Amino acid sequence: MSIQIKRLFSNPIFIGTLTLLYGGLIVSLVCGIIKSIYVAATTWFIIAYLLLLALALVLAILTNTLNQYRLALLTMIGVGLSSNIGHIGYYINARSGPLQAMSAGLIFVEIMLFFWVLVLGSGPGTYLALLCGMDGDSSSGSAGVANDGGMQPGDMSMKHINYRTTMGGAQPVVAPANTSSITDYYTSELTQSIMTSKQPESPTGAYKARALYAYDANPDDPNEVSFAKDEVMYVIDDSGKWWQVKKSDSTVGIAPSNYLTRIAS
């Protein structure tokens, strides 16, 4: 689980909403310090809580784990929304300018948190999920990194079950009926390859590709393979946005095409 700054700055929705969220919190904090004598202790607590919540959102984006922690984040946001609204009503009617400004900052925070409820609560295939790269695909959060063909990882948000839909009518790899799962199928294939040869042979018609970036496979999808930056693999099928590859350890699976580039054999 690597931290990549580009995941935050490559998505305008992330950077825009978080900028407003942190801006509202900073305004509220500064104005509260100016008139600290009139600020209740519970207000300081909620501001600290919201700062930690904003930090949790940033970390989830940087580590590409919004999908994994969406329920926890939604729960935290729900607590923040309900607690924050009471403080807004308390300070908005104050006669002091700094206290009214603090209330305005908390209003900005409330709006941004409500937007994040819509984002995290959107199901796969919805507009917000696609826009934010949360369509159930762990690679889609890395929007903004283009390969040689100009395709963005943000375009990878579609489910890759049909990753091999081509003009020729090729079909996805399906495990044999006598195996209990695709994971067992790939494990048996790897075991057989190790027993017969230490080095995998080049698949017929395949070519080599080098990884432009490191990629962590989705733990919920046994079809995906993980790989390191600059790792060389054989591309068995390059139709669609997800390519079928074979690694040096004979692992076969799918990888996002915009993370790979073809190299000379």
Side-chain angles (χ1 to χ4, degrees):
M1 186 183 298
S2 60
I3 295 178
Q4 297 185 20
I5 303 297
K6 62 186 177 182
R7 290 172 178 156
L8 175 62
F9 291 98
S10 61
N11 192 309
I13 292 182
F14 291 161
I15 192 66
T17 56
L18 290 175
T19 298
L20 291 175
L21 179 59
Y22 273 101
L25 287 171
I26 291 173
V27 168
S28 300
L29 182 61
V30 172
C31 292
I33 293 174
I34 294 175
K35 291 291 184 178
S36 58
I37 191 173
Y38 299 107
V39 179
T42 53
T43 304
W44 296 119
F45 173 80
I46 191 61
I47 291 177
Y49 176 85
L50 293 174
L51 284 170
L52 291 175
L53 174 56
L55 178 61
L57 285 171
V58 171
L59 290 176
I61 293 172
L62 295 179
T63 56
N64 201 19
T65 54
L66 280 174
N67 274 321
Q68 289 90 325
Y69 297 107
R70 65 193 307 167
L71 293 179
L73 290 172
L74 279 171
T75 302
M76 294 173 66
I77 291 174
V79 174
L81 281 171
S82 60
S83 302
N84 187 40
I85 192 68
H87 295 273
I88 292 175
Y90 180 76
Y91 294 107
I92 199 170
N93 296 318
R95 297 179 181 272
S96 173
L99 294 180
Q100 291 178 343
M102 182 173 69
S103 179
L106 293 177
I107 289 175
F108 271 101
V109 173
E110 192 81 1
I111 295 173
M112 292 304 102
L113 290 180
F114 181 77
F115 177 82
W116 272 97
V117 169
L118 296 178
V119 172
L120 295 173
S122 299
T126 59
Y127 177 75
L128 279 177
L130 292 172
L131 201 61
C132 298
M134 293 180 56
D135 196 30
D137 188 343
S138 64
S139 67
S140 60
S142 305
V145 182
N147 70 343
D148 296 338
M151 182 176 63
Q152 301 292 330
D155 298 334
M156 307 293 291
S157 57
M158 64 188 302
K159 293 295 288 181
H160 48 257
I161 295 176
N162 298 322
Y163 72 98
R164 297 183 64 191
T165 53
T166 64
M167 295 296 292
Q171 298 297 322
V173 176
V174 179
N178 60 348
T179 57
S180 59
S181 65
I182 295 178
T183 304
D184 295 336
Y185 169 68
Y186 287 139
T187 303
S188 62
E189 286 290 300
L190 175 60
T191 304
Q192 182 179 359
S193 176
I194 294 175
M195 292 177 63
T196 56
S197 174
K198 294 183 179 179
Q199 296 294 333
E201 297 181 357
S202 172
T204 304
Y207 59 86
K208 289 183 178 180
R210 179 175 57 86
L212 297 172
Y213 315 98
Y215 179 76
D216 296 326
N218 186 346
D220 297 328
D221 192 340
N223 293 315
E224 294 186 14
V225 292
S226 300
F227 49 82
K229 182 179 179 181
D230 296 325
E231 183 175 347
V232 176
M233 295 166 282
Y234 284 107
V235 177
I236 303 174
D237 187 347
D238 60 2
S239 56
K241 295 182 179 180
W242 288 82
W243 291 357
Q244 186 182 25
V245 299
K246 185 174 184 179
K247 299 178 60 177
S248 59
D249 60 359
S250 297
T251 302
V252 177
I254 58 175
S257 60
N258 55 324
Y259 278 65
L260 305 175
T261 184
R262 183 169 183 170
I263 59 176
S265 301

